């Protein structure tokens, strides 16, 4: 009767070894390696798609920020009848210059943000295609480029 109980218990607990004693149930090294390989393949498939979306969202953020700054510049122009000079830069959208009696700002809630890559936006007066240029050089910080490295803004 005692042998019979041991065999039933061994079946419930796990695998019976060759010697006849009970072995604990668990995963083999091969099973663990297969699972790790599958997880690695999934990560290799998903990660590039995820990171490409992050790059696209940075470009969209840059476009939205440029649009907001352009609107603030237009409001400044309505009040003062001109755009800020290159020397004044975008700071006049926050702090009143001494030489502007018609300044009715601040035109932005806080200082002009940096682009999503941490560099300040480029503001040029006069612009090449309009009264001013406002742009970011993109992820690489250099003129030109394509994709995420392309220049973003009013060029």
């Amino acid at each position: 009767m005692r042998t019979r109980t041991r065999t039933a218990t061994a079946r419930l607990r796990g695998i019976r070894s060759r010697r006849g004693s009970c072995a604990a149930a668990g995963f083999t090294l091969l099973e663990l390696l297969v699972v790790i390989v599958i997880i690695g393949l999934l990560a290799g498939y998903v990660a590039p798609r995820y990171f490409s979306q992050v790059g696209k969202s940075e470009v969209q953020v840059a476009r939205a920020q440029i649009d907001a700054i352009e609107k603030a510049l237009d409001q400044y122009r309505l009040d003062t009848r001109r755009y800020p000079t290159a020397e004044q830069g975008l700071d006049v959208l926050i702090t009143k210059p001494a030489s502007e009696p018609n300044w009715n700002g601040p035109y932005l809630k806080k200082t002009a943000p940096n682009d999503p890559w941490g560099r300040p936006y480029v503001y040029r007066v006069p612009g090449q295609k309009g009264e001013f240029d406002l742009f970011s050089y993109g992820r690489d910080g250099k003129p030109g480029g394509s994709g995420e490295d392309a220049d973003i803004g009013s060029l």
Side-chain angles (χ1 to χ4, degrees):
M1 183 91 170
R2 189 173 173 111
T3 312
R4 192 173 197 192
T5 308
R6 238 187 237 165
T7 307
T9 306
R11 284 188 195 137
L12 290 175
R13 282 191 183 162
I15 305 167
R16 189 170 179 91
S17 69
R18 291 182 185 172
R19 293 185 187 169
S21 63
C22 293
F27 296 108
T28 65
L29 180 60
L30 181 60
E31 291 169 331
L32 290 174
L33 288 174
V34 167
V35 169
I36 290 171
V37 167
I38 290 172
I39 290 172
L41 289 172
L42 286 174
Y45 178 74
V46 171
R49 294 177 188 268
Y50 171 75
F51 288 117
S52 71
Q53 294 300 320
V54 170
K56 288 178 186 175
S57 67
E58 288 174 333
V59 170
Q60 290 173 345
V61 166
R63 285 189 180 129
Q65 288 176 337
I66 288 171
D67 186 52
I69 296 170
E70 284 177 343
K71 287 178 181 174
L73 286 166
D74 289 338
Q75 186 63 45
Y76 179 91
R77 182 176 182 261
L78 286 174
D79 290 345
T80 63
R81 296 185 176 86
R82 65 177 183 81
Y83 286 108
T85 63
E87 292 80 31
Q88 290 173 321
L90 299 176
D91 292 334
V92 298
L93 299 175
I94 300 297
T95 56
K96 180 178 180 177
S99 62
E100 285 297 338
N102 296 329
W103 189 87
N104 198 21
Y107 301 97
L108 292 173
K109 291 181 181 178
K110 49 187 173 179
T111 60
N114 287 336
D115 68 12
W117 301 278
R119 290 180 292 278
Y121 287 102
V122 178
Y123 174 67
R124 286 194 301 220
V125 175
Q128 292 176 348
K129 294 187 178 179
E131 293 184 63
F132 69 90
D133 289 338
L134 180 65
F135 60 94
S136 166
Y137 284 122
R139 183 181 63 181
D140 64 353
K142 299 175 185 172
S146 62
E148 293 174 39
D149 295 337
D151 299 345
I152 303 163
S154 59
L155 286 175

